[in-house]
Amino acid sequence: MLDMDHATNKNFTFVTGRRKYLLFTDITGYGEITPILSSLDEQNLLYMVYYFNEFSSNHDLKTYLSQQKMGTYIYASGNWNSIISFVKTAEKAGFTEEELQIKGIGERILRVFCSRCYAINVCKTSKEMVCQSCGQSLSVSNHYSRRYDAYLGYTILN
Amino acid sequence: MKQLKEDIDEFPFPFKSNDPYRFSNNSIPLNPPISIDVTSKYIEEIKLKRDLLKTVHNRCYQSTPDTYEAQWEVLNLVMHHLSDMYPDRFKLKKEKDHWSFTNLITNETESFIYRDNSSLTLEPLDVIGRHVQEDLLILMEKDNELYLEAGQLCFPGRWSLVFKLGMTFLEIHQPIPEFNDTGLGDKIRRFLLNLEAGNPFERLNWALTIGYHLDTSIETFHKWGHKQKEVTPENVGSLVHLRVERQKLFRLPKSNSILFNIHTYLLSFEDLVQNPEWRSTFYDIFTNLPDYILKYKGAYAYKDTLIEYLKKFQQHA
């Protein structure tokens, strides 16, 4: 999966020179995209704004994104669950880290696979955690498995 | 562990020149096109493999339901290679679909009906993997993408088959620094997609590890990882080992999948330095490695100690 940390900007950076801009958001994230909207209006650039829930399914969203031409650039802001789901779909539609910026609002919940006992742990944004099943200290990596919908937690030696 | 001369003779030193090492697609055509190498450590390693399969089968064996056709192809390929290349040690008899494979080293016979799953007590890949020192992995091709769908992996170099099962080729290699970002991953993926039946390839991969341990799984890192901190100028030669994986790639024509097998070799540095050419080549390469490669190869923690050790021999040369 796209590296969330890499793709996550503290504040959006306006990227010029793209054919078209797509902005995806929800109520919590709308405030984050308004500066980008102002810049797009000022420069009279082509853009579309969508709420995440305008698409009835990820399949519909993927179909829409897959139809976009080269040179399309995406900004997405909203709660973390929406953002994670959106990024997975955008990746399936062929978008790369260089073609989007995301901004998650609130707490980011991660699923972490324990490399020692295979338990799936749920944790908040963190670099380190303790496996709730075996007690092993884990370093949360960005190595992601779609099969488990989880990131790999590597053993930290005491 | 002090190794025998034949172990050292069998060791596939991975560097051909002292050019700076970087991650690359270093695959070359496999000649002879044989999937398996039986070495002097056969009995010892087969015993270790079977002990692991008995005690932690789930860690060492994984498969998805769609892989049976490919598994039978692997069994077919490996049994033929063993009996053709090592006829004094392996026999294969076939009467129509009734096959009988005899391992004369372990004094075992596997009798079964070819492609009849019910005629085996284990899955085909799990059966044939117990007769070879190699780890055996199957990559299935679907929609121009390669997925890791089955494997018998007893001697992993710091990775987990359980976690990586089902991943695409690029997802599998995500932890390798600069692998996907530089386009190297996609280049190798395209190379694999173009792999043709009858034209197998091989490559040598390397890392450093502590002690003579083939099983360096991340599941057991809490047991062996701390040994990195035990390296001293006195024990570095006997403790640190060059780990080399001879990896082979075979396209399996019926299932259009790929057999990726890994034969792992270990050599301590006190043995490696006895070969002046290896010692000099490794020294030149190792001293020019960037930190991100040293970390990935497991050598960052004791880099300076190993360099000092090698330098002593360089000065005496």
Side-chain angles (χ1 to χ4, degrees), chain B residues 140-147 186 189-190 193-194 251 256:
Chain B
M140 301 292 288
E141 184 173 334
K142 298 174 201 167
D143 298 331
N144 213 31
E145 189 56 85
L146 293 165
Y147 296 86
D186 197 51
R189 175 181 152 275
R190 281 184 274 115
L193 287 168
N194 288 323
R251 175 69 80 175
N256 199 33

Side-chain angles (χ1 to χ4, degrees), chain A residues 1 97 113 115-116 118 136 142-148 150-152 154-155 157-158, chain B residues 58-59 147 162-168 171-172 174-175 218-219 221-222 225-226 229:
Chain A
M1 192 169 82
E97 287 170 3
F113 181 95
S115 60
R116 180 169 173 176
Y118 303 154
Q136 178 65 54
N142 60 4
H143 192 20
Y144 176 77
S145 162
R146 284 177 291 107
R147 179 183 174 88
Y148 298 106
Y151 294 88
L152 182 60
Y154 287 102
T155 289
L157 297 173
N158 295 323
Chain B
N58 183 52
R59 161 155 78 84
Y147 296 86
V162 174
F163 185 70
K164 290 194 192 272
L165 192 76
M167 286 189 185
T168 65
E171 289 170 343
I172 290 167
Q174 190 275 339
I218 60 170
E219 286 89 338
F221 185 71
H222 59 285
H226 65 278
K229 296 174 184 171

